[in-house]
Each structure stands twice: as structure tokens, then as C-alpha cells.
Amino acid sequence: MMTVCKHRNLVLLPAKQKRLRCRHCHLTITPEELDGGYCPECYEVSGIRRDDFEEIEDKTQGAVQYRCEDCGVLVTS
């Protein structure tokens, strides 16, 4: 489906941060949000402080993204 929007009202989106995923519960979180060094979801559910994370590969790393304020589409360049 084609849109009639010409995407003239673009907003620059902030660069994506490195993201980590818990190998147990699969929570996705930034290193800055990882306050105690352990998964907050695993700790809340089971009381276990798990620190086993994998880094999520960002396929758009280095690309600049914009969002059209009129129609909401994401434009990557």
C-alpha cells in the first residue's frame, strides 16, 4: 500500500544504544539500566541474581534514522 505522505516533517531519532538480553528470561535492557549488574526481572521473579547476558547485534548500527511526524514511518539512511 502506497502512502500519499511526502515525509516532509522528519525528526532525527537518537542513536541506538547497545542492548543486552538475559539468557534466562530474555529481558532486553541497556547496560545503563543494569543498575546492580544482574537481571532485575529474574531477581524479581525468582530471587536469583543472574548476570548472564548476551549483546544484541544491531543491524542498523551507524545508520541514521528519522521518523515522519505526519504518518509515523521510519526512514533509515
Side-chain angles (χ1 to χ4, degrees):
M1 181 175 155
M2 294 293 290
T3 179
V4 294
C5 183
K6 302 233 185 241
H7 311 306
R8 294 179 193 220
N9 190 13
L10 297 176
V11 173
L12 177 64
L13 298 176
K16 292 187 177 182
Q17 297 179 350
K18 181 168 87 169
R19 311 255 330 145
L20 304 172
R21 179 176 27 224
C22 176
R23 293 184 189 265
H24 299 277
C25 73
H26 307 291
L27 173 73
T28 303
I29 192 168
T30 64
E32 292 78 26
E33 294 171 321
L34 205 59
D35 189 32
Y38 56 88
C39 177
E41 184 72 18
C42 286
Y43 184 69
E44 184 176 323
V45 171
S46 64
I48 299 172
R49 295 181 181 201
R50 293 191 169 127
D51 60 358
D52 190 14
F53 293 91
E54 61 185 341
E55 188 172 336
I56 297 175
E57 181 182 337
D58 182 10
K59 294 181 173 121
T60 62
Q61 188 168 354
V64 178
Q65 283 195 319
Y66 301 90
R67 182 182 65 241
C68 177
E69 288 291 289
D70 297 327
C71 71
V73 74
L74 291 177
V75 179
T76 304
S77 63

